[in-house]
Amino acid sequence: MFIVMLGVPGAGKGTQAQRLEERLGLRQVSTGDIFRENLRNQTPLGQLAKSYMDKGELVPDDVTIQMVEERLSRPDCARGAILDGFPRTLAQAAALDQMLSGKGQKVALVPLISVTDDEVMARLTGRRVCRRCQSVFHLLFNRPPPDGECPQGDKSQCDIYQRGDDQPETVRNRLFVYYKQTSPLIGYYFAHGLLAEINGAQEIDRVTSDLWDVLSRIQA
Ligand code: AMP
């Protein structure tokens, strides 16, 4: 089962995708995380992505599509995946459909997590991420573990940081880019009967439970 998480940056796609990963036993594939990992390892892909990410712009489609195609071809995605941050353009959505149809599969559901722009600004400036396990926290709503223990349970300590692109100016540009390039996907997936809008301005657990309800309906 392939699930595409849709919503503005900071809507909570990553947090909810992590929860679905645990519950469904499907891999979360986050293009933003893959780019950041390449950046840390100073690969050519990371260096190319950095110039776009720093400005809040999208990495070019051809590079992103090739990267996702390679990722989805690995055995841990054979049963499906939870796509978080991909597709972000109509060209990427069409490429995803093509990739999956090549394997006799297709997108099963597109949850759209809705929150207002003001909410996103507040969330992203308080967002903190663990470099090690990629868990997402918030200084007010979902504080990093006080003892530093990593929620993945492998006894390591979290390494918390603030993403450079969570600075207010860059967040504003990321929102602009979302409305210009990614929001047309709402119409695309609606037309395919796959869209399920979820109120993302609720407690994290409520959002998860709404998501779970929608999933149970398609699994039934
Ligand atoms: P995210 O962590 O999903 O907010 O992504 C961080 C940044 O990575 C974005 O602002 C883009 O620069 C880049 N990125 C992530 N996913 C994509 C994508 N599907 N297409 C192009 N660029 C992407």
Side-chain angles (χ1 to χ4, degrees), residues 4 19 22 46 53 57 60-61 69 88-89 102 115 120 129 148 154 160 165 177 181 185 198 211-212 214:
V4 170
R19 291 176 166 212
E22 283 157 29
M53 293 171 81
E57 305 284 338
D61 280 341
E69 190 155 23
R88 259 173 151 106
T89 63
V115 290
V120 162
V129 184
D154 58 3
I160 306 290
D165 60 353
V177 166
Q181 293 180 269
L185 295 185
I198 286 166
L211 199 49
W212 200 242
V214 173

Coordinates of all heavy atoms in Angstrom, one line a residue, residues 4 19 22 46 53 57 60-61 69 88-89 102 115 120 129 148 154 160 165 177 181 185 198 211-212 214:
V4 N 0.4 8.7 0.2 CA 1.0 10.0 0.0 C 0.5 11.0 1.0 O -0.7 11.3 1.0 CB 0.7 10.5 -1.5 CG1 1.2 11.9 -1.6 CG2 1.4 9.6 -2.5
R19 N 4.2 7.6 12.8 CA 3.2 6.8 13.5 C 2.6 5.7 12.7 O 2.4 4.6 13.1 CB 2.1 7.7 14.1 CG 2.7 8.6 15.2 CD 1.7 9.5 15.8 NE 2.2 10.1 17.0 CZ 1.4 10.5 18.0 NH1 0.1 10.3 17.9 NH2 1.9 11.0 19.1
E22 N 5.0 2.8 12.2 CA 5.0 1.8 13.3 C 3.7 0.9 13.2 O 3.8 -0.3 13.3 CB 4.9 2.5 14.6 CG 6.3 3.0 15.0 CD 6.2 4.2 16.0 OE1 5.2 4.2 16.8 OE2 7.1 5.0 16.0
G46 N 23.7 15.8 -2.2 CA 23.5 16.7 -1.0 C 24.0 18.1 -1.3 O 23.3 19.0 -1.0
M53 N 17.5 23.9 -1.0 CA 16.9 23.8 0.4 C 17.1 25.0 1.2 O 16.2 25.5 1.9 CB 17.5 22.5 1.1 CG 17.1 21.2 0.5 SD 18.0 19.8 1.1 CE 17.0 19.5 2.6
E57 N 13.4 26.4 -1.8 CA 13.0 26.1 -3.2 C 13.0 24.5 -3.3 O 13.6 23.8 -2.5 CB 13.9 26.6 -4.2 CG 14.2 28.1 -4.2 CD 13.0 28.9 -4.7 OE1 12.2 28.4 -5.5 OE2 12.9 30.1 -4.3
P60 N 15.3 20.2 -8.3 CA 14.7 19.9 -9.6 C 14.0 18.5 -9.7 O 14.5 17.5 -9.1 CB 15.8 20.0 -10.6 CG 16.8 20.9 -9.9 CD 16.6 20.7 -8.4
D61 N 12.9 18.4 -10.5 CA 12.1 17.2 -10.6 C 13.0 16.0 -11.0 O 12.8 14.9 -10.4 CB 11.0 17.4 -11.6 CG 9.8 18.1 -11.0 OD1 9.7 18.2 -9.8 OD2 9.0 18.7 -11.8
E69 N 12.8 6.9 -7.2 CA 12.7 5.7 -7.9 C 13.7 4.6 -7.3 O 13.3 3.5 -7.1 CB 12.9 5.9 -9.4 CG 12.6 4.7 -10.2 CD 12.2 5.0 -11.6 OE1 12.7 6.1 -12.1 OE2 11.5 4.2 -12.3
R88 N 5.8 16.6 -4.9 CA 5.5 18.0 -4.6 C 5.2 18.8 -5.8 O 5.0 20.0 -5.7 CB 6.8 18.5 -3.9 CG 6.7 18.6 -2.4 CD 8.1 19.0 -1.9 NE 8.1 19.8 -0.7 CZ 8.5 19.3 0.5 NH1 8.8 18.0 0.6 NH2 8.6 20.1 1.5
T89 N 5.2 18.1 -7.0 CA 4.8 18.8 -8.2 C 4.0 17.8 -9.0 O 4.0 16.6 -8.8 CB 6.0 19.2 -9.1 OG1 6.7 18.0 -9.5 CG2 7.0 20.1 -8.4
G102 N 4.4 0.4 -13.1 CA 5.4 -0.6 -13.5 C 5.5 -1.8 -12.6 O 6.0 -2.8 -13.0
V115 N -3.8 22.7 7.9 CA -3.6 23.7 9.0 C -3.5 25.1 8.4 O -3.2 25.2 7.2 CB -2.3 23.4 9.8 CG1 -2.4 22.2 10.7 CG2 -1.1 23.3 9.0
V120 N 1.2 27.2 11.0 CA 2.5 26.7 10.4 C 3.7 27.5 10.8 O 4.7 27.0 11.2 CB 2.4 26.6 8.9 CG1 3.8 26.4 8.3 CG2 1.5 25.4 8.5
V129 N 14.4 18.8 15.6 CA 14.5 17.5 15.0 C 15.7 16.8 15.6 O 16.7 17.4 16.0 CB 14.6 17.6 13.5 CG1 14.6 16.3 12.8 CG2 13.5 18.5 12.9
G148 N 16.9 13.0 27.2 CA 17.6 12.9 25.9 C 17.5 11.5 25.3 O 18.1 11.2 24.3
D154 N 16.6 2.5 21.2 CA 17.9 1.7 21.0 C 18.9 2.2 22.0 O 20.1 2.0 21.8 CB 18.4 1.8 19.6 CG 18.7 3.2 19.1 OD1 18.5 4.1 20.0 OD2 19.1 3.4 18.0
I160 N 19.4 16.8 19.2 CA 18.3 17.8 18.8 C 18.9 19.0 18.1 O 19.9 19.6 18.6 CB 17.5 18.2 20.0 CG1 17.0 17.0 20.8 CG2 16.4 19.2 19.6 CD1 15.9 16.3 20.1
D165 N 16.2 25.7 7.5 CA 15.1 26.2 6.7 C 13.8 26.4 7.5 O 12.7 26.6 7.0 CB 14.8 25.3 5.5 CG 14.5 23.8 5.8 OD1 14.5 23.5 7.0 OD2 14.1 23.1 4.9
V177 N 6.1 28.5 -2.2 CA 6.4 27.4 -3.1 C 5.4 26.3 -3.1 O 4.9 25.8 -4.1 CB 7.9 26.8 -2.8 CG1 8.1 25.5 -3.5 CG2 8.9 27.8 -3.2
Q181 N 3.5 25.3 -6.4 CA 3.9 24.1 -7.1 C 3.2 22.8 -6.6 O 3.0 21.9 -7.3 CB 5.4 23.9 -7.1 CG 6.1 25.0 -7.9 CD 7.6 24.9 -7.8 OE1 8.2 25.5 -7.0 NE2 8.1 24.1 -8.7
L185 N -1.7 19.5 -6.6 CA -1.8 18.0 -6.3 C -3.1 17.7 -5.6 O -3.6 16.6 -5.7 CB -0.6 17.5 -5.5 CG 0.7 17.6 -6.1 CD1 1.8 16.9 -5.3 CD2 0.7 16.9 -7.5
I198 N -7.9 15.9 6.5 CA -7.9 15.7 7.9 C -7.5 17.0 8.6 O -6.6 17.7 8.1 CB -6.8 14.6 8.2 CG1 -7.4 13.2 7.8 CG2 -6.5 14.5 9.7 CD1 -6.5 12.1 7.7
L211 N -6.7 9.9 11.0 CA -6.0 9.2 9.9 C -6.2 7.7 9.9 O -6.5 7.1 8.9 CB -4.5 9.5 10.2 CG -3.5 9.4 9.1 CD1 -3.9 10.1 7.8 CD2 -2.1 9.9 9.5
W212 N -6.2 7.2 11.1 CA -6.4 5.7 11.2 C -7.8 5.4 10.8 O -8.0 4.3 10.1 CB -6.2 5.4 12.7 CG -5.9 3.9 12.9 CD1 -6.7 3.0 13.6 CD2 -4.8 3.1 12.3 NE1 -6.1 1.8 13.5 CE2 -5.0 1.8 12.7 CE3 -3.8 3.5 11.5 CZ2 -4.1 0.8 12.3 CZ3 -2.9 2.5 11.1 CH2 -3.1 1.2 11.5
V214 N -9.7 6.9 8.5 CA -9.7 6.9 7.1 C -9.1 5.7 6.5 O -9.6 5.1 5.5 CB -9.0 8.2 6.6 CG1 -8.9 8.2 5.1 CG2 -9.7 9.5 7.0

